[in-house]
Amino acid sequence: MDPQDIAQYRPLPPQRWGFLPTNRFWYHASLTPISLVFWAGAAVFFTGFDLFALVWWQQSLVWMVFWWVWGGLVERFTRRYLARRRMRALAGPRTALSESLEEVAVEAPAGELAPLAERPVLPSPAPVPPRTLESRLALVQQVESWDLAYERLFGRGAEVAQFAFNLAFGLAIFHPSWFVKLLGILALLAAARGVGSWERRALGRVRAALPPSSVSE
């Protein structure tokens, strides 16, 4: 594998209040079996719409609350499970270097100093430039770009603006008129196109500031 194809490790942001979902987690988990757990609960949730006979705007608000609670709880327990698996993996198998050191210590005659096994000399890794965009057909390629774009436009009010946009989009999707649904989808696509264009321009400025030797062809 080319080292330039390996994305830089970025830790997930903490969950607010200990259980609210994060966009970055679900960006990666949406195409994994984790999403099946969420949608299984969502299927049970949607059946309650007919039982309680909620109007369209009530359905939108209840869906947002369900997403915060159920999506956040699924993320919380999934993070704990993956963290425990990672700790067991790190504490489980021994490396080849530690096994070779033990073999030398066991086979050495008594009273003699055993030479330590030398570490293999690894070539120094080449500088890895910022990950290029995979395809220009995708509107937004990094979930962090949404948060950064909101922070740049609205500053400290970025969270309020993002909440207002999500609320408006949810109300449009649950509205009984198909024209309103179409407007909501078009507004989301327009916002994604704007964020994607800003993302590509920002990446282009970063790559232009790098020395020519570190920019991949």
Side-chain angles (χ1 to χ4, degrees):
M1 179 181 291
D2 191 351
Q4 297 179 357
D5 295 335
I6 302 176
Q8 183 181 4
Y9 172 74
R10 288 170 292 184
L12 294 173
Q15 293 181 263
R16 292 199 173 179
W17 300 345
F19 72 94
L20 290 182
T22 59
N23 295 332
R24 194 179 302 178
F25 173 86
W26 286 104
Y27 174 80
H28 298 289
S30 59
L31 299 179
T32 66
I34 301 174
S35 61
L36 298 179
V37 180
F38 172 80
W39 288 114
V44 178
F45 169 78
F46 279 117
T47 58
F49 282 175
D50 297 332
L51 297 178
F52 295 99
L54 300 176
V55 297
W56 65 271
W57 63 269
Q58 292 175 341
Q59 293 178 2
S60 177
L61 296 180
V62 173
W63 166 253
M64 294 188 67
V65 174
F66 172 80
W67 157 248
W68 290 332
V69 176
W70 178 240
L73 291 177
V74 172
E75 177 178 351
R76 178 182 177 88
F77 288 106
T78 301
R79 283 194 181 194
R80 290 185 175 181
Y81 171 74
L82 295 178
R84 287 195 297 267
R85 283 192 59 182
R86 184 173 183 272
M87 293 302 297
R88 287 196 298 265
L90 293 176
R94 297 182 301 174
T95 61
L97 179 59
S98 62
E99 292 178 357
S100 63
L101 291 176
E102 292 179 2
E103 292 177 359
V104 171
V106 171
E107 296 176 359
E112 295 184 6
L113 296 178
L116 296 178
E118 297 182 355
R119 290 179 177 268
V121 179
L122 299 177
S124 58
V128 180
R131 186 162 55 97
T132 58
L133 295 178
E134 299 175 358
S135 173
R136 289 187 177 273
L137 298 178
L139 297 177
V140 181
Q141 307 230 5
Q142 297 179 359
V143 68
E144 297 87 351
S145 299
W146 282 102
D147 299 332
L148 293 176
Y150 273 104
E151 291 177 1
R152 183 179 181 183
L153 290 175
F154 301 99
R156 295 182 178 180
E159 297 179 1
V160 178
Q162 192 169 10
F163 172 80
F165 180 82
N166 294 336
L167 178 61
F169 179 76
L171 292 174
I173 292 300
F174 282 90
H175 195 274
S177 173
W178 285 102
F179 178 74
V180 178
K181 296 178 188 292
L182 180 60
L183 288 180
I185 295 175
L186 292 178
L188 178 62
L189 293 177
R193 180 176 178 82
V195 175
S197 300
W198 172 78
E199 180 186 48
R200 286 187 288 270
R201 289 195 302 269
L203 181 60
R205 288 193 296 268
V206 172
R207 291 177 59 83
L210 293 175
S213 59
S214 64
V215 179
S216 60
E217 297 181 359

